[in-house]
Amino acid sequence: MTNQEPIFSHLPVLPQEVIAGLAVRPGGHYLDATVGGGGHSRLILEAAPDIKLTAVDQDEDALTAAQKELGEFGDRVKFVRSNFAAYEFPSASFDGILADLGVSSYHLDTPERGFSFRHAADLDMRMDQRQTLTAADVINDGDEAELAKIFFEYGEERLSRRIARRIVEKRPFHTTTELAEAIASSVPPKYRYGRIHPATRVFQALRIVVNDELKSLETFLEKAPQALVPGGKIAIISFHSLEDRLVKHGLRNSPLLKVLTKKPITATEAEIANNPRSRSAKLRIAERSIC
């Protein structure tokens, strides 16, 4: 647990689209598999006075924030600390399941969590701080080929080999800013001063590896449909192409689901102006088959 009061954004992305997509109805029971600060959960609970919700998150800070945000709903909300892949899905229990896969602004804005290179902090990046593997372990223990593969596959970083070589030359690394500087110094000037910082993709890749995000998502996509009642909806918001690809195929290939979104739903210009984080959000929805 960090030593500061958790401040999570309660501004959920694609809010109306999620509520409409889940077909939230009175008397329903919903699962928010990544409750974060509780923004989407609040919208679901506010839709009718007898809705019940199970709120899951692996991050203790997130659950603390959600408990505070959703406290007024009392025993209508059940909180569970778990990675959504490890959650024991009860069979045919939920009218709707939501997963918002984005890393929260809280994680990026809380230096000691080590997700961002804007502030000097330990290379951590653990969503669940009960686990032992950190970003420092990955960076300092992996061999050059392994690191290049991680950056290329999970960060879609085309200069992955060059960056991995520089990291191996300069390590050990202990802080986010040391690592970001080494990455910046390994790439050509036009890349160094481009639209996004050259460390951005590497940091994404490290976060995915530390938290085993893609494997967890695959497991979730296999298990979650069984927890829907017939006609129940699953809505998943992804923020980068690796996740969206898995979601697209996972929903399409499930024998229990019928996909309702041919193309992903994206944010309107008005929402993007109000909430820049929504710019890269893609929402896909599927329904549990009746038979």
Side-chain angles (χ1 to χ4, degrees):
M1 183 78 176
T2 58
N3 56 14
Q4 70 170 72
E5 179 73 14
I7 301 168
F8 273 77
S9 167
H10 303 302
L11 196 61
V13 300
L14 301 166
Q16 288 89 359
E17 294 85 349
V18 165
I19 298 301
L22 288 174
V24 175
R25 61 173 185 80
H29 185 192
Y30 296 88
L31 171 68
D32 188 341
T34 52
V35 71
H40 284 114
S41 285
R42 169 174 282 281
L43 293 175
I44 292 168
L45 288 159
E46 284 176 343
D50 56 353
I51 285 171
K52 285 194 164 20
L53 182 127
T54 299
V56 174
D57 208 290
Q58 63 184 326
D59 189 317
E60 188 182 4
D61 286 357
L63 277 187
T64 300
Q67 282 165 333
K68 196 172 170 184
E69 170 70 7
L70 305 174
E72 70 196 73
F73 299 103
D75 61 6
R76 291 171 56 193
V77 190
K78 177 187 173 191
F79 294 94
V80 180
R81 186 178 181 191
S82 173
N83 179 297
F84 65 7
Y87 175 66
E88 292 190 21
F89 288 90
S91 181
S93 298
F94 297 111
D95 297 283
I97 295 173
L98 169 68
D100 176 353
L101 305 175
V103 63
S104 76
S105 53
Y106 165 79
H107 288 118
L108 298 174
D109 294 341
T110 305
E112 60 264 38
R113 297 300 297 268
F115 286 92
S116 170
F117 45 80
R118 289 184 309 212
H119 315 278
D122 290 344
L123 276 165
D124 190 331
M125 300 197 193
R126 292 171 297 166
M127 291 283 188
D128 185 341
Q129 293 183 297
R130 296 172 296 188
Q131 78 172 47
T132 55
L133 183 72
T134 68
D137 297 328
V138 177
I139 281 294
N140 293 323
D141 299 344
D143 66 34
E144 188 179 319
E146 190 182 354
L147 291 176
K149 186 170 188 275
I150 287 169
F151 304 155
F152 184 73
E153 287 189 3
Y154 300 137
E156 300 179 291
E157 174 52 74
R158 57 193 181 84
L159 298 180
S160 58
R161 287 183 181 155
R162 182 192 284 233
I163 292 168
R165 192 177 315 125
R166 177 60 57 90
I167 285 170
V168 170
E169 281 169 11
K170 298 269 189 186
R171 66 188 184 188
F173 291 96
H174 303 291
T175 70
T176 52
T177 46
E178 285 172 355
L179 178 60
E181 283 161 15
I183 293 166
S185 73
S186 71
V187 302
K190 69 168 186 175
Y191 203 70
R192 197 175 310 157
Y193 304 110
R195 193 172 57 84
I196 66 164
H197 191 286
T200 302
R201 294 187 182 90
V202 169
F203 272 61
Q204 173 185 296
L206 285 172
R207 194 195 81 227
I208 288 171
V209 168
V210 168
N211 297 291
D212 203 11
E213 290 179 22
L214 299 184
K215 184 66 191 152
S216 293
L217 178 56
E218 283 178 1
T219 305
F220 171 76
L221 288 163
E222 282 167 26
K223 290 163 68 173
Q226 299 157 31
L228 288 168
V229 299
K233 312 287 195 295
I234 182 167
I236 304 177
I237 303 169
S238 58
F239 286 84
H240 58 74
S241 58
L242 298 172
E243 286 175 340
D244 183 54
R245 206 172 299 138
L246 280 181
V247 172
K248 178 183 175 182
H249 294 301
L251 296 180
R252 192 172 65 191
N253 296 337
S254 170
L256 301 176
L257 296 177
K258 174 190 169 196
V259 174
L260 302 180
T261 45
K262 238 180 187 173
K263 289 184 174 176
I265 296 166
T266 55
T268 62
E269 287 302 322
E271 181 181 358
I272 292 167
N274 187 41
N275 182 10
R277 179 175 175 263
S278 65
R279 181 180 299 281
S280 51
K282 290 183 175 176
L283 169 65
R284 294 185 185 271
I285 302 161
E287 178 181 65
R288 169 102 191 232
S289 305
I290 305 291
C291 51

